[in-house]
Amino acid sequence: MNKGNHTTVTEFILVGFSDVPELQYFLFAIFLCIFIMSLFAHMFLIVLYRFNTNLYTPMYFFLANFSLLEICYISTVTPKMLVNLLSGDKTITFHGCAAQMYCFLVLASTECYMLAAMSYDRYNAICHPLLYNSIVNTGTCLKLIVGSWIIGFMVATIQTFLTFSLPFCGPNKINHFYCDIPPIMALACTDTQFNEIATFMIVLCVVVGAFMLTVITYVQIIWTIVKHHSATGSKKAFSTCASHLIVVTIFFGSGSVMYLRPKTSYGTDVDKFMSLMYTIIAPLLNPFIYSLRNNDVKFAVKKMFCN
């Protein structure tokens, strides 16, 4: 704290899981294993795509980019959390907290629209198979990827500026394991109604908007599968889409619960668990969800190890 005419917060304390100190080392071991497994699983998918020409299709191009995004995504939160679990000093500087939030929001917002882009790819593959190669070409894939990143940077810039332009002159303990919007707004020493409304509108546009795009594409996909495909074709199409639907449900479901609420309802251990779902658990599950149900990936793995 700096004392003058008023008190200004220069650092925050990430409370994390300090309410169960006897579990600190156990939680450290668990989260470290999850972090390492996530990194290796996503790196393996990227290497698999890079060295298997059979996977040079838009679907796996998106999956490789998604894995790269997930590596960055989990690396914005987990390392600091691991340090805090072992260290008695759980502080993070004001600017460090802002940087962590900015990086997290860039990656989370980008992931929303990258998942929507992957749904669009599946929509064209199933609903417009004859035109698929002309619609989802290299240029289209790059535009969707770049567009997702642009949206991510725009959202992060606006939201981080709105959050850290608030005055912080009182408590500096963040009841969370990383710098997230709701617990930081709860520490502001001014009325945050405008920020809450702005956050709600941004999340509504970004998260709900991307989710609705995904839902609309899958309604069309399911209708096309039921109407036009044979039993064998339907099973293969559903199998291809099921993995993506599971990932979308986990990510959007847990994220919506966290952000589409007023500030006053935040602060329970349930919130930390929900945050764990989309920041740490989901990045671990995603590569296995995509690979275990995918015959092309299984074949590529066998081919790579045989060679």
Side-chain angles (χ1 to χ4, degrees):
M1 304 286 187
N2 290 331
K3 292 186 176 181
N5 294 332
H6 60 278
T7 305
T8 303
V9 172
T10 59
E11 64 181 19
F12 293 102
I13 298 173
L14 291 166
V15 174
F17 304 96
S18 60
D19 52 339
V20 281
E22 65 278 3
L23 296 178
Q24 298 290 294
Y25 293 108
F26 174 75
L27 292 174
F28 173 83
I30 294 294
F31 291 138
L32 179 62
C33 290
I34 291 175
F35 181 58
I36 293 173
M37 288 175 63
S38 297
L39 291 181
F40 275 101
H42 286 292
M43 287 178 184
F44 182 75
L45 284 180
I46 294 172
V47 171
L48 198 66
Y49 169 78
R50 176 65 180 83
F51 293 102
N52 284 272
T53 55
N54 292 335
L55 299 182
Y56 282 12
T57 64
M59 174 181 174
Y60 297 106
F61 173 77
F62 281 120
L63 186 57
N65 277 274
F66 182 73
S67 290
L68 179 61
L69 175 67
E70 289 277 77
I71 290 172
C72 300
Y73 180 70
I74 194 172
S75 299
T76 61
V77 173
T78 312
K80 178 61 178 175
M81 183 185 66
L82 291 173
V83 171
N84 288 349
L85 284 171
L86 285 183
S87 172
D89 182 14
K90 301 181 185 299
T91 60
I92 183 170
T93 64
F94 183 90
H95 294 100
C97 191
Q100 187 187 56
M101 177 186 286
Y102 181 80
C103 293
F104 174 78
L105 290 175
V106 167
L107 297 164
S109 302
T110 301
E111 184 164 333
C112 288
Y113 279 91
M114 197 171 290
L115 287 171
M118 293 167 74
S119 301
Y120 177 73
D121 169 64
R122 292 298 83 209
Y123 163 76
N124 284 291
I126 294 172
C127 298
H128 305 291
L130 298 179
L131 299 174
Y132 176 68
N133 290 329
S134 60
I135 296 175
V136 190
N137 51 40
T138 303
T140 302
C141 293
L142 290 175
K143 288 176 183 177
L144 290 171
I145 295 295
V146 172
S148 299
W149 279 101
I150 290 173
I151 292 173
F153 281 110
M154 289 174 58
V155 170
T157 301
I158 295 170
Q159 192 61 68
T160 304
F161 173 77
L162 287 174
T163 302
F164 284 90
S165 61
L166 293 169
F168 298 95
C169 51
N172 66 335
K173 289 187 177 181
I174 301 174
N175 188 23
H176 213 332
F177 56 88
Y178 72 100
C179 294
D180 201 5
I181 299 169
I184 291 179
M185 281 202 301
L187 300 179
C189 53
T190 187
D191 181 37
T192 60
Q193 185 176 5
F194 173 78
N195 292 69
E196 290 181 57
I197 295 173
T199 300
F200 181 84
M201 295 304 297
I202 291 172
V203 172
L204 199 64
C205 293
V206 176
V207 178
V208 178
F211 180 70
M212 289 307 299
L213 288 173
T214 305
V215 169
I216 291 170
T217 56
Y218 271 102
V219 168
Q220 294 290 329
I221 288 171
I222 292 171
W223 172 253
T224 302
I225 291 173
V226 172
K227 188 176 181 180
H228 298 291
H229 287 249
S230 63
T232 304
S234 298
K235 183 178 179 181
K236 183 178 180 180
F238 274 122
S239 177
T240 303
C241 298
S243 300
H244 188 60
L245 274 174
I246 293 170
V247 172
V248 166
T249 302
I250 294 173
F251 182 76
F252 283 109
S254 55
S256 298
V257 170
M258 282 298 301
Y259 291 101
L260 295 177
R261 301 176 305 166
K263 179 184 69 172
T264 53
S265 63
Y266 185 87
T268 65
D269 291 335
V270 176
D271 297 315
K272 294 179 186 179
F273 173 76
M274 294 302 297
S275 296
L276 282 174
M277 284 299 298
Y278 63 82
T279 57
I280 296 175
I281 305 301
L284 171 66
L285 297 178
N286 291 345
F288 297 101
I289 292 172
Y290 279 118
S291 59
L292 292 178
R293 296 179 56 87
N294 193 305
N295 290 327
D296 292 336
V297 173
K298 292 177 184 177
F299 177 77
V301 171
K302 291 179 182 177
K303 181 180 177 181
M304 188 171 71
F305 278 106
C306 287
N307 290 339

